[in-house]
Amino acid sequence: MNDYKEKILKICNETSKNTLMETLDIEYIDVGEDFLLAKMPVTPKVHQPDGVLHGGATAALAESVGSAASYVFLDGNKYIVRGLEISANHVKSVKEGFVFARATILHKGRTTQLWEIRVTNEDDQLVSLCKLTTITLPKA
């Protein structure tokens, strides 16, 4: 399983080059049977004007991890994945350090999937709870 995990993480991180994920310094760090985990540094580049993590950056992190998880668990060689809807409840501010986003599937249908993405700080405190609905379509 360790070689398999490393291969998946390498692919996820390599496909992030020249994308928003690279701009936000998102790094995929762990994968398991039913989850994908990533981290993002909280620096002034992702702050809102008053010096705390911007909710839009948090939502971008959540959607990135949920969409990447869809590719991992739904055969990205045959399908494309698109986000249909994302919601985020922000419950705690973060000024510095890292936030971690863990995407876990709640519903795995043939065409639609529902993901829960928990964004936590370095002390494992909940920062945001996000829900992402994706659609899987055959590649043309």
Side-chain angles (χ1 to χ4, degrees), residues 65-84:
V65 177
S67 294
S70 288
Y71 279 107
V72 168
F73 296 113
L74 299 170
D75 193 354
N77 293 320
K78 294 181 183 177
Y79 301 100
I80 59 169
V81 174
R82 296 290 182 262
L84 291 177

Side-chain angles (χ1 to χ4, degrees), residues 8-60:
I8 290 172
L9 295 173
K10 182 178 179 185
I11 291 169
C12 287
N13 286 310
E14 285 178 354
T15 58
S16 294
K17 290 188 168 108
N18 298 313
T19 68
L20 179 63
M21 287 72 73
E22 182 176 59
T23 300
L24 297 177
D25 295 319
I26 294 170
E27 179 185 0
Y28 298 96
I29 59 172
D30 198 10
V31 64
E33 295 286 326
D34 65 348
F35 74 91
L36 180 62
L37 179 68
K39 71 177 182 177
M40 181 179 74
V42 180
T43 64
K45 140 167 126 170
V46 295
H47 281 169
Q48 55 190 16
D50 67 350
V52 297
L53 177 61
H54 194 290
T58 305

Side-chain angles (χ1 to χ4, degrees), residues 110-129:
R110 283 183 297 117
T111 55
T112 60
Q113 301 77 42
L114 179 60
W115 296 91
E116 176 184 80
I117 302 100
R118 296 179 59 85
V119 179
T120 57
N121 63 17
E122 291 176 299
D123 295 324
D124 202 31
Q125 297 169 322
L126 185 65
V127 172
S128 297
L129 182 61

